[in-house]
Amino acid sequence: MQFSHRVLIHKNELNESEQEIVRFIQNNPSEVVSNSIQDLATTLFIHPTTVVRLAKKLDYTGFAEMKHELRTEQQQLDKIRNQTKNNEAPKIDLSEYLANTTVEKIVSLIEKARDVHFYGIGNSQFLCEISAKQLRCTDKRSHYYQHRHDMLYSIHELKAYDLIFVISMSGESESLNDVARLVKKTGATLISLTHITPNTLSEIADINLYCYAPINYIHNYDVTNRTYAMATLYRIIEKYWQYHI
């Protein structure tokens, strides 16, 4: 699980000092992975045990594992940057990824569903909010969630005739994939929306939606373009509107 995902899951458990360490790590990952825990503690004017406590709160075994995982993430980001440097996102024909038969099938599922739920974390949350509100205008019961614990609570109320969209550009968010596995146990239909690459979430879901959304970071900040993801969802909702407005 990525460092940013761990922070998102445990953010309400972190005290002010730990939040300060997190901000430093996010802004200076290269410095963290190339120095010792003592160096980090000295830079932040804290005791090394404070760093260890943070690592364990984020479900690492300790600083050594956190440092190793951060280094791996940095290497992956460097590889992605090298692959995408100076390349613009191509013009995408949605029909290449979203056949009319798929749209009609999903619209039919929305019609039959008692409730439609949208699950996403981080920068994908706004897609969930917009989509849920766009369905509500036709009096369709639809829901989105700001926090993972609310998603988990909602799963207890799911029925086999409910419909769930799980939105994750990478498809590799462990927290969302765990949620998806719990959804599958309820018998509800699960639809994934991810970037057009093989991923774990797509393997879990009953129906796969894809869009062009390669991971992109600037100064370690996620600036992945989710425009095509929104367009994919809008095409489905727009078709649903045609039958219900």
Side-chain angles (χ1 to χ4, degrees), residues 36 43 67 92 101 116 118 146 157 169 188-189 238 243:
S36 67
T43 299
K67 181 177 175 179
I92 301 295
T101 53
V116 180
F118 293 87
Q146 297 287 348
E157 304 298 321
M169 297 303 94
T189 301
E238 187 177 39
Y243 297 135

Side-chain angles (χ1 to χ4, degrees), residues 54-101:
L54 169 65
K56 291 185 176 180
K57 273 191 178 181
L58 297 179
D59 293 330
Y60 296 105
T61 56
F63 177 74
E65 184 186 15
M66 183 172 75
K67 181 177 175 179
H68 173 75
E69 293 296 324
L70 284 169
R71 181 181 292 111
T72 300
E73 288 180 29
Q74 280 299 111
Q75 291 170 345
Q76 292 173 341
L77 287 176
D78 290 341
K79 182 178 180 181
I80 291 169
R81 291 192 188 101
N82 290 334
Q83 291 174 340
T84 60
K85 189 176 182 180
N86 299 323
N87 288 333
E88 295 183 0
K91 294 181 179 179
I92 301 295
D93 180 1
L94 282 179
S95 63
E96 184 178 352
Y97 307 109
L98 189 58
N100 287 329
T101 53

Side-chain angles (χ1 to χ4, degrees), residues 21 31 34 92 99 119 122 140 145 157 159-160 186 223 225 227:
I21 300 171
E31 183 176 341
S34 61
I92 301 295
Y119 295 157
K140 188 67 185 182
Y145 305 90
E157 304 298 321
K159 304 298 181 183
T186 69
V223 293
N225 188 340
T227 303

Side-chain angles (χ1 to χ4, degrees), residues 66-239:
M66 183 172 75
K67 181 177 175 179
H68 173 75
E69 293 296 324
L70 284 169
R71 181 181 292 111
T72 300
E73 288 180 29
Q74 280 299 111
Q75 291 170 345
Q76 292 173 341
L77 287 176
D78 290 341
K79 182 178 180 181
I80 291 169
R81 291 192 188 101
N82 290 334
Q83 291 174 340
T84 60
K85 189 176 182 180
N86 299 323
N87 288 333
E88 295 183 0
K91 294 181 179 179
I92 301 295
D93 180 1
L94 282 179
S95 63
E96 184 178 352
Y97 307 109
L98 189 58
N100 287 329
T101 53
T102 303
V103 173
E104 294 290 349
K105 180 178 181 179
I106 294 175
V107 167
S108 177
L109 289 171
I110 293 174
E111 290 175 332
K112 295 175 182 177
R114 179 195 62 171
D115 290 88
V116 180
H117 300 261
F118 293 87
Y119 295 157
I121 61 175
N123 289 342
S124 292
Q125 283 185 337
F126 84 96
L127 298 175
C128 299
E129 179 179 358
I130 292 172
S131 299
K133 289 180 177 179
Q134 287 176 335
L135 282 179
R136 286 178 189 172
C137 72
T138 61
D139 293 327
K140 188 67 185 182
R141 286 161 52 112
S142 53
H143 316 272
Y144 68 95
Y145 305 90
Q146 297 287 348
H147 304 289
R148 184 172 181 270
H149 65 266
D150 289 327
M151 296 181 205
L152 294 173
Y153 182 80
S154 71
I155 291 173
H156 294 297
E157 304 298 321
L158 292 181
K159 304 298 181 183
Y161 40 80
D162 287 331
L163 182 64
I164 292 81
F165 288 81
V166 180
I167 303 171
S168 170
M169 297 303 94
S170 70
E172 298 299 343
S173 165
E174 289 189 27
S175 59
L176 276 181
N177 289 345
D178 286 344
V179 166
R181 293 185 183 97
L182 291 174
V183 169
K184 289 286 288 184
K185 293 180 180 180
T186 69
T189 301
L190 177 63
I191 299 174
S192 65
L193 174 57
T194 67
H195 175 49
I196 48 174
T197 54
N199 61 80
T200 303
L201 178 57
S202 295
E203 294 175 0
I204 298 170
D206 300 301
I207 299 173
N208 301 141
L209 295 176
Y210 296 101
C211 63
Y212 183 81
I215 297 172
N216 188 19
Y217 282 81
I218 296 178
H219 300 311
N220 300 297
Y221 190 84
D222 183 4
V223 293
T224 300
N225 188 340
R226 289 168 170 79
T227 303
Y228 296 121
M230 187 68 255
T232 298
L233 291 166
Y234 188 81
R235 181 176 173 187
I236 293 168
I237 293 170
E238 187 177 39
K239 177 62 70 173

Side-chain angles (χ1 to χ4, degrees), residues 42-56:
T42 300
T43 299
L44 295 174
F45 302 101
I46 57 176
H47 195 277
T49 56
T50 305
V51 182
V52 175
R53 282 198 298 271
L54 169 65
K56 291 185 176 180

